[in-house]
Amino acid sequence: MRSFSTEALRRTVRNSIVKWFNTNGRNFPWRSTTDPYHVLIAEMLLRRTTATAVSRIYLNFMTRFEQPEWLAKTNINTIASMICSLGLQNVRARHLQKAALSIIEEYDGSIPQAFDKLTTLPGVGKYVASAVLNFAYHIPMPLVDGNTIHLMFRVFGLTFNGPNDPRAWDFMESFDLGNQNRAFYWGVIDLVAMICLRKSPRCTDCPLQEVCMWNLESAV
Ligand code: SF4
């Protein structure tokens, strides 16, 4: 039985995830850059696939398309062939190239630093826009995807109607992340990938085991 107020619980969860990530988080090349273009491309590649799959092609891809101009002028089939291991390569390649064109033509080659402008780029939805603001521009913004929904269900017992549920975005906004936003969201991603597995969560290795509703209820 846990005895935290909701706010204290959120604070404990936030601090535990950040602390765990700082020791156990995975290293990926897109996590060691704050170049907004590189972060944007990484987040577009990461949609609907795994970080491990993207890590196999990311450095080659960024070497080939280091500037949006290079992506914009390359044959679409060449782009698709470089990302075919991720799946959805034709749609993904089209979005990448159109986004590069839009960055050049509408934003003078720079990645916008505003949510509303980012979401005008082809293939960029709420999640990718928010990820760019968090990970490249260090602006704490709520970030919701299947990982977030899964972990919030396990820890808080909250049920949302998928990643587009406005209540999920409001809930994440209430975490008051400040400059811990990057470690927190990467921590959520890595906890779900490594510890809070969907079929067999490894609760005894989890930094949230003492406050997690799923774990406390299964111990009763
Ligand atoms: S304690 Fe178990 S169920 Fe809860 S977040 Fe950790 S791994 Fe998931």
Side-chain angles (χ1 to χ4, degrees):
M1 189 79 177
R2 61 188 184 192
S3 56
F4 290 84
S5 70
T6 310
E7 197 184 330
L9 179 58
R10 275 197 298 260
R11 208 164 40 239
T12 300
V13 168
R14 178 196 65 198
N15 293 344
S16 301
I17 291 175
V18 167
K19 188 173 172 200
W20 177 86
F21 174 79
N22 286 334
T23 306
N24 302 283
R26 296 175 297 177
N27 286 320
F28 292 113
W30 54 88
R31 289 183 178 178
S32 55
T33 179
T34 52
D35 181 311
Y37 170 67
H38 289 228
V39 172
L40 172 67
I41 298 298
E43 293 300 332
M44 291 179 78
L45 294 175
L46 283 162
R47 301 307 291 152
R48 299 189 179 207
T49 189
T50 64
T52 305
V54 175
S55 69
R56 293 194 190 104
I57 60 129
Y58 180 74
L59 288 177
N60 269 351
F61 193 85
M62 293 317 299
T63 303
R64 180 81 158 76
F65 303 117
E66 202 182 336
Q67 305 291 334
E69 290 76 10
W70 303 358
L71 193 50
K73 69 185 181 192
T74 298
N75 182 288
I76 194 87
N77 294 329
T78 304
I79 301 171
S81 71
M82 290 186 71
I83 56 176
C84 61
S85 60
L86 307 182
L88 302 172
Q89 61 270 28
N90 293 329
V91 177
R92 216 186 287 272
R94 214 164 41 245
H95 282 157
L96 285 163
Q97 188 166 62
K98 282 186 175 173
L101 276 167
S102 178
I103 289 162
I104 295 162
E105 289 169 3
E106 291 170 43
Y107 298 106
D108 204 20
S110 298
I111 309 303
Q113 198 174 337
F115 185 84
D116 291 348
K117 289 183 177 171
L118 281 163
T119 51
T120 65
L121 298 174
V124 175
K126 280 174 75 173
Y127 180 89
V128 172
S130 191
V132 169
L133 294 174
N134 275 294
F135 302 144
Y137 290 120
H138 298 270
I139 299 171
M141 295 283 291
L143 193 55
V144 178
D145 69 351
N147 293 315
T148 329
I149 298 279
H150 168 75
L151 199 65
M152 295 307 118
F153 170 69
R154 287 261 167 95
V155 177
F156 293 92
L158 294 169
T159 307
F160 296 113
N161 295 323
N164 289 324
D165 187 337
R167 293 177 306 123
W169 290 80
D170 288 346
F171 185 71
M172 296 317 292
E173 191 154 27
S174 70
F175 270 88
D176 188 21
L177 296 176
N179 62 8
Q180 296 179 320
N181 56 337
R182 287 156 49 101
F184 176 79
Y185 283 120
W186 286 334
V188 168
I189 293 166
D190 287 358
L191 261 181
V192 174
M194 298 159 68
I195 304 286
C196 192
L197 307 175
R198 285 163 206 271
K199 281 192 180 156
S200 311
R202 297 168 45 204
C203 300
T204 52
D205 297 326
C206 182
L208 304 175
Q209 58 183 280
E210 288 175 13
V211 294
C212 171
M213 184 177 281
W214 177 283
N215 185 43
L216 297 177
E217 288 186 351
S218 50
V220 173

